[in-house]
Amino acid sequence: MSERPTIAVLVSGSGSNLQAIIDASERGEIPCRVGIVISNKADAYGLARGKKHGIPTEVVDHKGFATREEFDARLVEVIRGSGADLVCLAGFMRILTPVIIRAFPNRILNIHPALLPSFPGTHGPGQALAYGVRFSGCTVHFLDEGVDTGPIVVQAIVPVYDDDTEDTLAARILVQEHRIYPMAIRLFFSGRLAFEGRKVKIRGEPKIPEFSHRNPDA
Ligand code: GRF
């Protein structure tokens, strides 16, 4: 039996997206396994999640490096050492430099809790709420050298309600994050993704029949 490809997952916190990826892998829904969990924070719960599943973990504390570039160079070393075929940022709260982005071109995915290009950066759900949009959602995209600007692979939408708080909206979005991250990973390994300028095209993309959502639905 041939070895499954591996992914390196980078986390800074709870790691619920990491958990969704591990679960999808264990259920055979994605054709790869998590080969290493890396965190810039020694107390990130994501590390404990990895260990529970027998996955090697590594802490690379950004505070031990004088520059972002030196931190990123160490990340590159650790990721290369793990032999990962794909890098997934899952709640990894550091801005990465070209040092790592150029080391893994079109091989780094990120998840963002908003419908990019709207509301990039931090507090995506809070920004959406403050703006007054009726839909928000989440985006899995490849990393480029901007902040949350890279080619988009999958998006999911959720309604925004008048009585939402940042927390209730973020929780509604997180449910969808857990669905679309494994989906994006599956597409990555399917060989169906093609880059066309800044766009990702999906060969054999299924069309959604009569797609229409309104909010309010009155
Ligand atoms: C997610 O909302 C992700 O989009 C954002 O940080 C959160 C991480 O959640 N960047 P978790 O660590 O995967 O639970």
Side-chain angles (χ1 to χ4, degrees), residues 11 13-18 49 90-93 110-113 170 174 177-178:
V11 301
S14 146
S16 68
N17 277 290
L18 163 68
R49 292 185 194 267
F92 188 67
M93 303 308 280
N110 182 43
I111 186 142
H112 181 75
L174 194 61
E177 291 183 39
H178 297 163

Side-chain angles (χ1 to χ4, degrees), residues 18-87:
L18 163 68
Q19 190 68 56
I21 294 167
I22 294 172
D23 292 346
S25 167
E26 291 187 349
R27 288 197 294 260
E29 292 167 5
I30 52 177
C32 55
R33 63 181 174 83
V34 179
I36 188 167
V37 176
I38 303 169
S39 180
N40 63 314
K41 295 195 171 207
D43 62 354
Y45 184 60
L47 292 167
R49 292 185 194 267
K51 285 181 189 139
K52 212 181 294 176
H53 290 265
I55 298 165
T57 62
E58 179 103 18
V59 177
V60 183
D61 187 342
H62 59 278
K63 293 200 285 298
F65 297 84
T67 64
R68 284 188 191 275
E69 286 76 13
E70 287 169 44
F71 171 64
D72 285 4
R74 177 63 190 145
L75 288 178
V76 170
E77 246 172 46
V78 172
I79 294 166
R80 287 216 170 110
S82 78
D85 302 282
L86 174 70
V87 180

Side-chain angles (χ1 to χ4, degrees), residues 51-180:
K51 285 181 189 139
K52 212 181 294 176
H53 290 265
I55 298 165
T57 62
E58 179 103 18
V59 177
V60 183
D61 187 342
H62 59 278
K63 293 200 285 298
F65 297 84
T67 64
R68 284 188 191 275
E69 286 76 13
E70 287 169 44
F71 171 64
D72 285 4
R74 177 63 190 145
L75 288 178
V76 170
E77 246 172 46
V78 172
I79 294 166
R80 287 216 170 110
S82 78
D85 302 282
L86 174 70
V87 180
C88 293
L89 309 180
F92 188 67
M93 303 308 280
R94 301 296 299 169
I95 291 178
L96 296 174
T97 69
V99 168
I100 182 164
I101 296 161
R102 290 178 193 170
F104 306 108
N106 296 339
R107 286 282 181 282
I108 307 177
L109 289 173
N110 182 43
I111 186 142
H112 181 75
L115 287 178
L116 292 173
S118 293
F119 315 130
T122 55
H123 298 287
Q127 292 184 58
L129 212 53
Y131 192 94
V133 291
R134 293 274 170 202
F135 285 103
S136 188
C138 45
T139 305
V140 179
H141 65 94
F142 284 101
L143 211 65
D144 69 3
E145 293 181 19
V147 175
D148 299 326
T149 54
I152 291 170
V153 185
V154 185
Q155 294 186 303
I157 62 171
V158 303
V160 181
Y161 297 123
D162 290 347
D163 60 359
D164 265 326
T165 63
E166 184 168 348
D167 285 348
T168 60
L169 178 57
R172 191 174 306 126
I173 291 172
L174 194 61
V175 172
Q176 298 306 316
E177 291 183 39
H178 297 163
R179 296 182 60 205
I180 68 169

